Amino acid sequence: MPPTAPRAPAPSQPLSRRRLAVAAAVIAAGPVFGGLAGCSRGPDPLRVELEEGRALFESRQVLMFDIRESSEHATGVANGARLLPMSQLQQRLGEIPRDPQQPVLIICNTQNRSSKVVQAMHEAGWTNVRYVHGGMSAWARNGWPMVRPFGLPGS
């Protein structure tokens, strides 16, 4: 009998630090992301280029979750992005839609954290999430619009 592929964990299984660490070491190959069928495919099918991510977000074709920490959010965020600090991700994971018809982009400062989070989410059964290559640091370098999050001093 041929060996069977490992099963994905149940959708309700929380993302653990171990799973995030494993995700850092393993990037899935192949076209596993169907939620953004029109997105370009590079070497990593879970990745969307910064310019394309911005266009999809600003045209309201995707939801964007900024997983930087609150201190990083204070430097500015994309207007309309949902703020979900990575330190709160475990407790608030249910805020990220699982519906394949609702594409989601995850963004951090560069893409180091977001790529790992998205990989772990795919392993846990999400099919509608991708990460934004370049992150908010590249967004800011491009001079693209950013706003101060509500509730911070000066906002």
Side-chain angles (χ1 to χ4, degrees), residues 20 67-69 84-90 113-114 117:
L20 289 175
I67 64 166
R68 295 176 301 153
E69 295 302 321
L84 179 55
M86 191 162 165
S87 62
Q88 298 174 17
L89 190 60
Q90 191 74 17
R113 290 171 284 180
S114 59
V117 165

Side-chain angles (χ1 to χ4, degrees), residues 65-139:
F65 286 83
D66 187 332
I67 64 166
R68 295 176 301 153
E69 295 302 321
S70 297
S71 60
E72 296 171 284
H73 291 152
T75 65
V77 300
N79 193 15
R82 297 177 183 197
L83 309 183
L84 179 55
M86 191 162 165
S87 62
Q88 298 174 17
L89 190 60
Q90 191 74 17
Q91 297 85 2
R92 297 177 53 197
L93 196 57
E95 294 177 28
I96 301 175
R98 294 182 71 100
D99 181 354
Q101 299 303 311
Q102 177 55 72
V104 172
L105 296 179
I106 306 292
I107 195 166
C108 65
N109 194 50
T110 58
Q111 82 268 338
N112 292 330
R113 290 171 284 180
S114 59
S115 63
K116 294 169 189 165
V117 165
V118 166
Q119 178 63 38
M121 291 176 75
H122 269 263
E123 290 175 4
W126 267 265
T127 60
N128 61 322
V129 295
R130 292 181 73 190
Y131 71 92
V132 180
H133 182 72
M136 288 304 296
S137 61
W139 186 292

Side-chain angles (χ1 to χ4, degrees), residues 19-43:
R19 290 189 59 72
L20 289 175
V22 169
V26 179
I27 300 295
V32 298
F33 187 80
L36 294 173
C39 290
S40 61
R41 301 283 190 240

Side-chain angles (χ1 to χ4, degrees), residues 137-155:
S137 61
W139 186 292
R141 275 194 310 275
N142 286 338
W144 295 347
M146 295 171 65
V147 297
R148 291 183 64 77
F150 178 76
L152 293 177
S155 58

